[in-house]
Amino acid sequence: MSDTADSRFGIGALREAFSLTGATGPLIGLLLLCAFLSLATDSFLSIRNFLNILDQITVLGILAVGMTFVILIGGIDLSVGSVLALSMMVLGFLNVEAGLPMGLAISGALLASGLAGALSGVMITVFAVPAFIATLAMMSIARGLASMITNGSQIIGFPIWFNMGAIVRHGGFLTMTVAVMLAVFIAAWLFQRYRKEGRELYAIGGNPEVARLAGINVNRMTILVYTACAALSGLGGVLLAARLDAVQPTIGIAYELDAIAAVVIGGTSLSGGTGGIVGTLIGVLIIGVLRNGLNLLSVSPFLQAVIIGLVIVLAVAAETFKRARR
Amino acid sequence: MSDTADSRFGIGALREAFSLTGATGPLIGLLLLCAFLSLATDSFLSIRNFLNILDQITVLGILAVGMTFVILIGGIDLSVGSVLALSMMVLGFLNVEAGLPMGLAISGALLASGLAGALSGVMITVFAVPAFIATLAMMSIARGLASMITNGSQIIGFPIWFNMGAIVRHGGFLTMTVAVMLAVFIAAWLFQRYRKEGRELYAIGGNPEVARLAGINVNRMTILVYTACAALSGLGGVLLAARLDAVQPTIGIAYELDAIAAVVIGGTSLSGGTGGIVGTLIGVLIIGVLRNGLNLLSVSPFLQAVIIGLVIVLAVAAETFKRARR
Amino acid sequence: DDHVGIGIEKIGLAVPNLQADFFNQIKLGVENYAASLGIEVITVDAKGDTATQVSQVQDLITQGIDAFIYIPAGAAAAAVPTRLARQEGIPVINVDREPEGEPGDTVIYGENVMSSYEVCSSIIERAGGEGKMVIIHGQKGTTPEVQRFEGCKMAIDENPGVELVAQQWTQMWSPDEGFSIGQNMLQAHPDLKMIFGQADGIAMGAAKAVQAAGLDDQIVVGGYDGDVAALESLARCDTPFVVTATQSTQAMGVLAVNSAIAVSKGASVPARQIPNAVLTDCENAQQFVEKHP
Amino acid sequence: MTKPSSGPILTLRNICKSYGPIEVLHGVDLDVHAGEVVALLGENGAGKSTLSNIISGAVRPSSGKMTWQGAPYAPANPKEAITAGVGMIQQELLLLPQLSIAENMFVGRYPSRAGRVDRAEMRRRAREGMARLGLDLPPGRLVAGLSTASQQLIEIAKALTHDARLLILDEPTAALGGEETQLLFRQIERLKAEGVGIVYISHRLEEIKQIADRIVVLRDGERVRDFDTADMPVRTIVEAMVGRSMDQLFPPLSTPSDRIVLEVKGLKSRAGAFSGVDFEVRRGEIFGISGLVGAGRTELVRAIAGADPLAEGSVLLNGQDVTPRSPRDAMDRGIVLVPEDRKQQGIILDHSIAENIAYSNLDAVARGGWIAARKVRSFADDSILRFGVKGRGHQKANEMSGGNQQKVVIAKWLARNPSVVLLDEPTRGIDVGARSSIYEIIHALAEAGVAVIVVSSDLEEVLGVSNRILVMAAGRQAGILDHKEANDVSVMELATA
Ligand SMILES: Nc1ncnc2c1ncn2[C@@H]1O[C@H](COP(=O)(O)OP(=O)(O)OP(=O)(O)O)[C@@H](O)[C@H]1O
Ligand SMILES: Nc1ncnc2c1ncn2[C@@H]1O[C@H](COP(=O)(O)OP(=O)(O)OP(=O)(O)O)[C@@H](O)[C@H]1O
Ligand SMILES: [Mg+2]
Ligand SMILES: [Mg+2]
């Protein structure tokens, strides 16, 4: 994020180009984790397992991108899991029950989720409700609405090609869903790094009053960020629907915690103004690899919970220490 | 919370004594809610239902007291629900499986939960991990540990008198568990209002650096507050065990969100430094009455989710508006 | 003990939520029986989330399992795990539920409708064949929730003297929800005589609410599942919670392992295997506490 | 100027302090005796605040020894220093806006009786403390919403109630007007008489003469000169501080053209801070705004720059109505504001200098909405050079001294090449050297045809730089004085009218 003096060449340049500041610690952690798992299991180090991990982080990755922007401006969004469920149910309803073509149904799902985000944004800016509370309320509201669409039951019966998008690996490599996630990451990275609006997010997160006096329309940007985050959750929902070939209103519970953890592990500060997308990618990979690795190691589910907690705290504490030492 | 100029007499004095600043809006909301439910249902307005509501808010109330202190110093604790489960499982293990007397078992449960809080506090102060992340990790760790004690199954077989403490209404009125909750509220209120340490929490929440320069040991206080919050969660667990006469490791999921919502509805600001216990009591009552009323009205669970979300946001937005108008 | 003939070495077991005793019992059934045969079991717990489960199944297959016991998580039973396993030629044994349109080689499930009919008939009979009744449901929209209501409704319809005065749904089938909802229902209907909780946790929570209201003699509570703690409670015969339907969970585990072995050998297994739930009360609870079916 | 007979109460020997690889204090010695005022002077970033923070336990030295009343002294935290009897007022305002005045004054040492906080006593002592500084506010009032000056006075009152044996005042008068300053000095005299040792830091050299007994000058973290009496020509002191001789503090006045650039008509604030303001500023003119603390000057310039809403009135630029509705509006018309409160409104402390400068110039460093990294860098390098900021583009703002931060704030706005510049307290907390370079900047702006408005509580400054001076009193326009008719007396007459 910073324009370091030594940044034209070498690691400085890399670090600068990929906004790695604050994420080198996690990156090292990720590499260590991968090295350990490669030695400890037969099955970790293989193309197929790598592709599996990509599959498995698709939804988390997309949620985390939206969450990165929200946290960058100093906010938080607890509603992403519920909004994802809402988007899925709208998709299922429009496509399967109402018989609309998939294109229209997807637009409807994204619209519904974007609207939920816009409402959160309005509560936060116009009504000065703290983001934590506004999105907590939206979490409850969106979940309720999602459940009301079918009175709690699931919807199945999507067209065959829809599920194939999540299964067929084009060129033996990329599924459609993973491709979408990668595209989202690249677009978000370009936006955050090279767009004027991307830099504005940093200013808002740094100090909203300074940003306002610098001519940035803080309220508008805030509403847009929450809308984008919710629409991305909606997109995550569409991809998840493709992957599961079914939709249900209870999906996505506690996803917000995973997304927030990924963002923070990736070096974005919860107080806003520092961090970025590349760090988030690393955070998402750490969570994804950890889950995958613990399964491959056949660690009992209860012990997994303990280990994941410890890794989260270690990842964040390590970065703090690195900074303190400098 | 404030020493208002007009505070010696009349409403000012009341408001000051009960630290109602920031909570008059929610208080009016609570009264309106009660009035509405009294008209809309036959069963709401009765001593017995009132006692039921007290029963039902016992655990939430105790969690919310600890959460109030945490939020007052500008922190947050996501682990209360898991720590409550950990405390319950330790209690069950010590009393039923290991055959220790109940007094010892309760001490053990409180010790285990307090320790979890102290660990969160150390992570937050010494290792500079953001409270959100430290307690998120503790949420996962405590849940994992709670499940590991019995490998996921529940424990029953407490002594008869234990359950009676939650059932017998002494003088036709107070169960032991409700009495404990009321005692906790009164003690917390006295502490927050009259003890030097209580006032120090406000300073820490207002600006930790100012507090440090004023000679307050911010780190020690922070660790103590998280320890107290966790120990209160543990106490909540003991009361819940008495009430259900059984313990299981899945209990308490998402309780932290209820507790946080109650505290914020009660006028305590998430950025720390303002609010207090009396507001929290009102917040807890709003949630308790709302849940009770929606059940008495036989509202479907999905619609309940939507309504609860709306009420949370309205309660907080109303207070903001009141303040803006002044 | 000649294991050469078994043909499988590693079984993958995907459970929705180990925190539910029901699934935990199945897990124990599978693990204990498989251990006695020298088969390794790898268990993954989806914590109730379908998407997590799909990821976990991918990881199971990566580990080279020879058979896959699949208990779908969430309201949507995902078809993808079955497809993934099929691609690798791994036998799929469904337990509890099967994904629509993508059945496994066999499905083993506890019967819901008739058993809940029996539970409700039993509490109606104990209440004298008439009076006010409430139902505290599980998570709305899930298969057991729907079917257990269906069965209980049959019993209610057979008894014109029984009036279903209220219903409410829990989010997590949990005892604390059972307690609060039960308490509120008692408040609204003090002359209640029967409560059906769709799972033992809910029923035991509701029974505590009955005790708290001092209505032990007036109300009977029925549950479902036969959780260990519920059986222990029934065996003591001292609470309003008087009857449940004990599912043969351990037997289901054994059946699942045997089916896996059979399928991998190419033997034929029935498409559906439905061990009955056993109506359990004060009298026969003790025997199930000692040895869970 | 009586010399105390006994030994020093505080001694510092060879104090060093490093932040990472950078050493900012290189072996400083200092003695303070009971009942004397030692003035600690130096340029921005010389290390005055760092040294004070070491004495008050807020910062720990890297090496060196201290003694306090004869015994070794090494406070691990502020509490230990306070307990020992060392009090300090920080340079930056450190109050808790959500708490009452009384609680702010007694935070960390609440008077208590029988284990409970004694509120009545606390209020009584708060009122007493404020009265000493001529402040009459209800002790129960929240600090939020008080003017900067009142907050500064409360900080001082807080320190005075500490009963410290040594008091460090780090730029206590930066936000004060003349009258409040005199009240403060009276209190300092009283403390001296009681035998309290005082370390006094200020960039207002006139004050030093009045209050200090001795002067110690720091430069780049080293003690470079001592004066045993404060009765030295300002010129000599300045030379010691900046290491070269300086001529005139104020540049000559510019000569404005006749063309009116900015005109305001009947301005009235929505919050009620001012009303009925009419004036015009010409091309190349420096227009000063003076008045007592709380007169509404800050509100006025904020409103002109679109930062606060107006109830009535219009702002005209080159004869065209441009009444702004947002800061963006004003910026687009070429009106920029350098705000009063650097930390809250001017700069993002966590971000680099380059980024801070870029934030108010995003349209200039971007093409078609895409940021050009090279532009960001060159913008920063230009500004650092042009305004003599001590720092590099990638450095974070919070690693710089207050004065250099202020230069960054000015730089970030002037990089837009505005046609109207509003500066609110532009030299608050800035050393003489930097101050004169800021005056040079202002002068150069005027020469280049920009209309400049300068709000300042420093009367000498307003008189020194302005072609004309608007005096405000209690939210009203009391009058406009021409350079020739403006002096201490005429301005104060209007201000108190
Ligand atoms: N936290 C910090 N990290 C790194 N450098 C710092 C830090 N705090 C201060 N410095 C550096 O230490 C030096 C001395 O700063 P200090 O604040 O003591 O100056 P000062 O004399 O008080 O200046 P001013 O008159 O502007 O207040 C400066 O160069 C500053 O950049
Ligand atoms: N945020 C605020 N809330 C309420 N009142 C305020 C606020 N800011 C300023 N005021 C009040 O508005 C009046 C004008 O304040 P302003 O800051 O404009 O004065 P000023 O002349 O610039 O003085 P100075 O900047 O020296 O404090 C004062 O009475 C002040 O107390
Ligand atoms: Mg300083
Ligand atoms: Mg001002």
Side-chain angles (χ1 to χ4, degrees):
Chain A
M1 181 222 43
S2 69
D3 295 84
T4 40
D6 64 335
S7 65
R8 266 171 231 214
F9 313 101
I11 296 181
L14 248 178
R15 186 191 284 163
E16 189 198 324
F18 291 104
S19 323
L20 266 179
T21 320
T24 41
L27 181 58
I28 294 169
L30 177 61
L31 296 177
L32 286 179
L33 190 63
C34 289
F36 167 74
L37 288 172
S38 303
L39 296 176
T41 71
D42 305 331
S43 33
F44 179 79
L45 195 66
S46 68
I47 299 267
R48 212 182 106 186
N49 192 49
F50 174 71
L51 294 180
N52 281 350
I53 294 176
L54 278 187
D55 262 9
Q56 293 165 12
I57 62 169
T58 310
V59 174
L60 174 60
I62 288 183
L63 296 189
V65 165
M67 192 66 82
T68 306
F69 291 141
V70 168
I71 294 183
L72 261 188
I73 64 165
I76 198 149
D77 190 347
L78 301 181
S79 70
V80 292
S82 296
V83 169
L84 170 137
L86 178 62
S87 152
M88 286 173 81
M89 294 312 290
V90 170
L91 179 79
F93 177 80
L94 293 181
N95 181 247
V96 180
E97 319 258 291
L100 292 185
M102 190 51 98
L104 274 183
I106 292 180
S107 313
L110 296 185
L111 201 73
S113 44
L115 205 65
L119 278 178
S120 298
V122 168
M123 289 193 267
I124 292 164
T125 52
V126 183
F127 298 91
V129 178
F132 194 98
I133 295 300
T135 59
L136 178 64
M138 183 49 77
M139 172 180 176
S140 188
I141 295 171
R143 179 73 62 191
L145 291 177
S147 309
M148 280 159 81
I149 290 176
T150 57
N151 216 355
S153 26
Q154 60 169 326
I155 303 176
I156 60 165
F158 289 106
I160 308 281
W161 63 263
F162 187 54
N163 180 232
M164 289 302 127
I167 288 186
V168 180
R169 290 187 168 153
H170 297 279
F173 190 66
L174 272 192
T175 56
M176 265 290 287
T177 46
V178 170
V180 170
M181 174 191 71
L182 294 180
V184 166
F185 262 101
I186 292 171
W189 175 71
L190 288 174
F191 171 81
Q192 162 227 293
R193 177 135 186 86
Y194 293 109
R195 286 296 302 179
K196 181 166 150 286
E197 295 80 9
R199 308 312 295 172
E200 290 183 355
L201 300 186
Y202 284 89
I204 295 174
N207 184 331
E209 181 61 10
V210 174
R212 190 179 78 92
L213 290 177
I216 296 169
N217 191 332
V218 176
N219 281 2
R220 205 182 94 232
M221 282 303 280
T222 302
I223 295 176
L224 283 179
V225 163
Y226 280 92
T227 308
C229 177
L232 281 171
S233 309
L235 179 61
V238 172
L239 300 190
L240 189 55
R243 187 167 150 87
L244 301 179
D245 205 11
V247 296
Q248 62 172 86
T250 46
I251 203 86
I253 289 175
Y255 279 23
E256 62 281 357
L257 296 180
D258 274 0
I260 294 168
V263 171
V264 176
I265 289 176
T268 298
S269 151
L270 276 172
S271 46
T274 49
I277 287 292
V278 180
T280 296
L281 180 60
I282 296 173
V284 168
L285 281 171
I286 288 183
I287 292 188
V289 168
L290 190 63
R291 291 248 162 86
N292 172 268
L294 291 173
N295 283 339
L296 295 186
L297 288 169
S298 306
V299 175
S300 105
F302 303 142
L303 191 55
Q304 285 201 14
V306 176
I307 294 178
I308 289 175
L310 288 176
V311 169
I312 289 178
V313 107
L314 278 182
V316 178
E319 185 60 27
T320 315
F321 262 107
K322 223 193 70 200
R323 208 168 296 164
R325 236 197 28 221
R326 258 195 328 219
Chain B
M1 183 226 42
S2 69
D3 296 84
T4 38
D6 62 334
S7 63
R8 263 171 234 210
F9 314 102
I11 296 183
L14 247 179
R15 188 192 282 164
E16 191 196 322
F18 289 105
S19 324
L20 266 179
T21 320
T24 40
L27 181 59
I28 295 168
L30 176 62
L31 297 177
L32 287 179
L33 191 62
C34 289
F36 168 75
L37 287 173
S38 304
L39 295 176
T41 72
D42 305 332
S43 34
F44 179 78
L45 194 65
S46 70
I47 298 266
R48 216 181 103 187
N49 192 47
F50 175 71
L51 294 179
N52 282 351
I53 293 177
L54 277 187
D55 260 10
Q56 292 165 14
I57 63 168
T58 310
V59 175
L60 174 60
I62 288 183
L63 296 189
V65 166
M67 191 66 82
T68 306
F69 291 141
V70 169
I71 294 182
L72 261 188
I73 64 164
I76 198 149
D77 190 347
L78 301 181
S79 70
V80 290
S82 296
V83 169
L84 169 137
L86 178 63
S87 153
M88 286 174 80
M89 293 312 290
V90 170
L91 180 78
F93 177 79
L94 292 181
N95 181 247
V96 180
E97 318 257 292
L100 292 185
M102 190 50 99
L104 275 183
I106 291 180
S107 314
L110 296 184
L111 200 73
S113 44
L115 205 65
L119 278 179
S120 299
V122 168
M123 289 194 266
I124 292 164
T125 51
V126 183
F127 298 92
V129 178
F132 193 98
I133 295 300
T135 59
L136 177 64
M138 184 50 76
M139 171 180 178
S140 185
I141 294 171
R143 180 73 63 192
L145 292 177
S147 308
M148 279 159 80
I149 290 176
T150 57
N151 218 352
S153 15
Q154 52 177 320
I155 304 176
I156 66 164
F158 289 105
I160 308 280
W161 63 264
F162 186 54
N163 180 231
M164 287 304 126
I167 287 186
V168 180
R169 289 189 170 153
H170 297 279
F173 190 65
L174 272 192
T175 57
M176 264 288 287
T177 47
V178 170
V180 169
M181 175 191 72
L182 294 180
V184 166
F185 262 103
I186 291 171
W189 176 71
L190 288 174
F191 171 80
Q192 162 225 289
R193 175 132 185 88
Y194 293 109
R195 289 293 304 180
K196 189 166 137 291
E197 294 80 9
R199 305 313 299 170
E200 288 182 358
L201 299 186
Y202 285 88
I204 295 175
N207 185 336
E209 182 59 13
V210 174
R212 192 181 77 90
L213 291 175
I216 295 170
N217 191 334
V218 175
N219 281 3
R220 207 183 93 234
M221 283 301 281
T222 303
I223 295 177
L224 285 179
V225 164
Y226 281 93
T227 308
C229 176
L232 283 171
S233 310
L235 180 61
V238 172
L239 300 190
L240 190 55
R243 181 158 158 195
L244 299 178
D245 204 11
V247 295
Q248 64 171 80
T250 39
I251 210 86
I253 290 175
Y255 279 20
E256 62 280 356
L257 296 181
D258 274 1
I260 294 169
V263 172
V264 176
I265 288 176
T268 299
S269 151
L270 275 173
S271 45
T274 49
I277 288 293
V278 180
T280 296
L281 180 59
I282 297 173
V284 168
L285 282 171
I286 288 184
I287 292 190
V289 168
L290 192 63
R291 289 252 160 83
N292 173 271
L294 290 173
N295 281 337
L296 292 184
L297 288 169
S298 294
V299 175
S300 106
F302 306 144
L303 192 54
Q304 285 201 14
V306 175
I307 294 177
I308 288 176
L310 288 176
V311 169
I312 289 177
V313 103
L314 278 182
V316 178
E319 184 60 26
T320 314
F321 261 109
K322 224 194 68 200
R323 207 167 297 165
R325 235 195 31 221
R326 257 197 326 225
Chain C
D1 283 300
D2 182 14
H3 303 153
V4 183
I6 293 175
I8 51 179
E9 292 170 356
K10 217 188 246 184
I11 291 180
L13 169 63
V15 291
N17 181 10
L18 271 186
Q19 320 249 345
D21 190 58
F22 174 69
F23 297 123
N24 205 29
Q25 289 293 335
I26 296 178
K27 168 179 172 261
L28 293 176
V30 170
E31 285 177 349
N32 294 340
Y33 182 59
S36 75
L37 298 177
I39 299 173
E40 184 191 348
V41 178
I42 306 170
T43 308
V44 289
D45 174 10
K47 301 216 167 61
D49 187 57
T50 316
T52 303
Q53 193 168 48
V54 174
S55 301
Q56 291 174 333
V57 173
Q58 277 184 323
D59 294 341
L60 283 178
I61 293 171
T62 308
Q63 284 163 286
I65 54 169
D66 306 306
F68 174 39
I69 301 176
Y70 174 33
I71 317 178
V80 181
T82 312
R83 284 184 203 145
L84 289 172
R86 280 276 157 72
Q87 281 173 2
E88 305 289 320
I90 299 170
V92 180
I93 315 299
N94 282 125
V95 179
D96 192 39
R97 265 182 296 155
E98 62 183 344
E100 271 180 72
E102 199 75 40
D105 295 290
T106 180
V107 57
I108 301 163
Y109 61 86
E111 199 284 326
N112 270 311
V113 180
M114 281 321 289
S115 305
S116 54
Y117 167 77
E118 286 178 24
V119 170
C120 285
S121 298
S122 167
I123 55 176
I124 289 169
E125 189 194 314
R126 282 162 209 261
E130 57 171 29
K132 290 188 176 173
M133 177 168 177
V134 296
I135 298 181
I136 306 176
H137 293 248
Q139 186 184 4
K140 194 166 181 177
T142 54
T143 315
E145 185 267 321
V146 174
Q147 292 185 346
R148 288 174 197 178
F149 176 64
E150 190 185 330
C152 188
K153 192 76 176 40
M154 278 163 52
I156 295 171
D157 292 344
E158 279 178 9
N159 293 279
V162 175
E163 187 191 352
L164 181 61
V165 290
Q167 307 179 57
Q168 192 53 271
W169 285 260
T170 63
Q171 310 275 348
M172 292 186 286
W173 307 81
S174 71
D176 51 333
E177 289 173 292
F179 187 100
S180 294
I181 293 175
Q183 201 173 37
N184 291 336
M185 285 176 161
L186 288 171
Q187 172 64 22
H189 308 282
D191 51 348
L192 207 58
K193 293 180 79 176
M194 291 158 281
I195 299 177
F196 175 46
Q198 286 194 341
D200 285 337
I202 298 174
M204 285 166 71
K208 284 294 158 203
V210 171
Q211 284 177 301
L215 298 172
D216 302 41
D217 300 334
Q218 175 190 322
I219 297 175
V220 289
V221 181
Y224 203 101
D225 283 343
D227 289 353
V228 178
L231 294 173
E232 287 173 6
S233 167
L234 277 179
R236 283 196 264 158
C237 312
D238 61 354
T239 70
F241 171 48
V242 291
V243 61
T244 190
T246 303
Q247 303 213 63
S248 311
T249 42
Q250 302 255 359
M252 287 186 193
V254 173
L255 202 52
V257 175
N258 282 334
S259 303
I261 295 169
V263 173
S264 69
K265 280 185 179 161
S268 80
V269 289
R272 285 163 194 280
Q273 309 183 64
I274 313 174
N276 271 332
V278 190
L279 196 67
T280 312
D281 60 14
C282 175
E283 260 131 55
N284 58 351
Q286 188 56 38
Q287 87 189 58
F288 292 151
V289 171
E290 279 148 26
K291 188 176 179 344
H292 201 281
Chain D
M1 234 59 52
T2 50
K3 273 272 137 61
S5 49
S6 58
I9 48 171
L10 175 79
T11 67
L12 273 63
R13 290 293 172 268
N14 209 13
I15 298 290
C16 297
K17 174 68 193 174
S18 305
Y19 286 107
I22 300 162
E23 195 178 74
V24 299
L25 286 178
H26 323 288
V28 177
D29 292 355
L30 183 71
D31 289 347
V32 182
H33 292 83
E36 71 164 349
V37 177
V38 180
L40 200 53
L41 302 185
E43 286 182 285
N44 293 128
K48 306 179 296 291
S49 298
T50 307
L51 192 67
S52 318
N53 282 327
I54 287 173
I55 301 172
S56 69
V59 169
R60 303 187 71 170
S62 309
S63 67
K65 290 213 157 34
M66 296 189 273
T67 68
W68 169 246
Q69 294 180 331
Y73 171 66
N77 53 44
K79 189 179 182 85
E80 288 185 22
I82 291 168
T83 315
V86 176
M88 170 164 179
I89 301 177
Q90 298 285 327
Q91 179 173 10
E92 305 292 345
L93 285 177
L94 286 174
L95 291 172
L96 303 161
Q98 295 306 322
L99 294 187
S100 66
I101 294 176
E103 287 218 37
N104 263 288
M105 285 176 62
F106 292 94
V107 60
R109 53 194 184 98
Y110 302 106
S112 55
R113 188 157 13 112
R116 43 172 288 186
V117 174
D118 187 345
R119 278 155 199 278
E121 171 71 5
M122 188 161 88
R123 281 202 208 98
R124 194 184 60 71
R125 280 166 58 182
R127 202 173 283 124
E128 211 175 82
M130 284 190 289
R132 289 186 192 163
L133 294 169
L135 206 57
D136 183 25
L137 290 170
R141 179 161 168 187
L142 294 193
V143 163
L146 293 178
S147 71
T148 322
S150 308
Q151 294 192 27
Q152 180 70 271
L153 286 171
I154 288 165
E155 284 257 33
I156 297 171
K158 172 177 163 185
L160 291 181
T161 54
H162 261 80
D163 297 328
R165 303 307 303 156
L166 177 80
L167 190 57
I168 306 166
L169 302 157
D170 194 353
E171 301 197 28
T173 54
L176 297 187
E179 209 162 324
E180 291 87 4
T181 304
Q182 291 311 316
L183 279 168
L184 169 64
F185 286 177
R186 216 167 298 152
Q187 292 305 314
I188 292 181
E189 292 293 347
R190 184 180 63 78
L191 291 174
K192 265 174 73 171
E194 289 169 10
V196 175
I198 288 167
V199 176
Y200 189 91
I201 300 172
S202 176
H203 289 295
R204 297 185 172 175
L205 298 182
E206 338 69 85
E207 293 175 3
I208 301 297
K209 260 190 192 175
Q210 194 191 336
I211 196 70
D213 299 317
R214 288 195 296 129
I215 296 175
V216 171
V217 180
L218 293 184
R219 192 195 308 151
D220 293 331
E222 261 171 296
R223 176 171 172 164
V224 290
R225 272 298 289 274
D226 287 12
F227 300 102
D228 273 346
T229 157
D231 201 11
M232 301 294 294
V234 168
R235 198 190 170 90
T236 317
I237 301 175
V238 171
E239 246 180 67
M241 282 169 62
V242 302
R244 61 189 155 85
S245 68
M246 272 189 43
D247 311 322
Q248 194 62 36
L249 185 57
F250 297 110
L253 283 182
S254 57
T255 41
S257 80
D258 286 340
R259 235 188 71 211
I260 292 173
V261 178
L262 180 80
E263 189 176 358
V264 307
K265 285 187 184 159
L267 288 194
K268 182 170 179 212
S269 134
R270 194 180 292 169
F274 61 86
S275 62
V277 178
D278 294 275
F279 63 83
E280 72 284 333
V281 186
R282 288 186 292 262
R283 211 178 122 85
E285 183 177 32
I286 299 177
F287 186 77
I289 302 184
S290 185
L292 295 183
V293 160
R297 298 162 298 174
T298 295
E299 307 271 334
L300 173 62
V301 286
R302 278 176 62 86
I304 295 174
D308 284 337
L310 278 168
E312 281 169 25
S314 49
V315 177
L316 280 70
L317 188 67
N318 298 321
Q320 198 187 348
D321 189 336
V322 298
T323 315
R325 269 160 325 211
S326 69
R328 173 91 252 155
D329 251 14
M331 281 164 68
D332 288 344
R333 306 289 190 169
I335 303 176
V336 302
L337 166 71
V338 176
E340 172 180 44
D341 186 342
R342 176 169 69 227
K343 228 167 54 168
Q344 296 301 322
Q345 300 163 358
I347 203 165
I348 299 177
L349 290 168
D350 262 0
H351 291 186
S352 69
I353 300 179
E355 284 172 321
N356 268 295
I357 292 173
Y359 289 145
S360 48
N361 295 282
L362 281 174
D363 30 11
V365 298
R367 193 172 308 141
W370 295 93
I371 301 279
R374 201 175 301 134
K375 268 273 188 66
V376 174
R377 240 187 324 257
S378 68
F379 242 78
D381 292 345
D382 285 355
S383 304
I384 286 169
L385 218 62
R386 184 169 156 203
F387 299 100
V389 178
K390 271 192 211 151
R392 317 245 308 262
H394 64 86
Q395 263 184 333
K396 283 190 177 176
N398 59 9
E399 291 167 5
M400 299 194 300
S401 74
N404 279 305
Q405 289 176 15
Q406 181 69 19
K407 286 185 203 165
V408 172
V409 181
I410 294 180
K412 102 180 198 188
W413 286 110
L414 294 192
R416 292 187 64 84
N417 296 322
S419 51
V420 176
V421 177
L422 309 161
L423 299 132
D424 195 357
E425 310 282 3
T427 63
R428 173 172 294 176
I430 289 204
D431 70 48
V432 261
R435 200 175 334 163
S436 98
S437 62
I438 286 177
Y439 297 146
E440 294 290 347
I441 292 166
I442 295 175
H443 179 72
L445 283 175
E447 290 286 276
V450 176
V452 184
I453 296 183
V454 178
V455 175
S456 178
S457 300
D458 185 344
L459 198 50
E460 192 199 358
E461 174 171 300
V462 195
L463 292 172
V465 300
S466 315
N467 296 107
R468 286 187 302 145
I469 298 174
L470 162 68
V471 183
M472 293 190 66
R476 280 174 310 95
Q477 174 169 345
I480 297 181
L481 298 170
D482 195 71
H483 177 65
K484 285 180 223 81
E485 47 187 356
N487 56 43
D488 303 24
V489 180
S490 58
V491 170
M492 283 321 282
E493 245 167 32
L494 280 177
T496 52

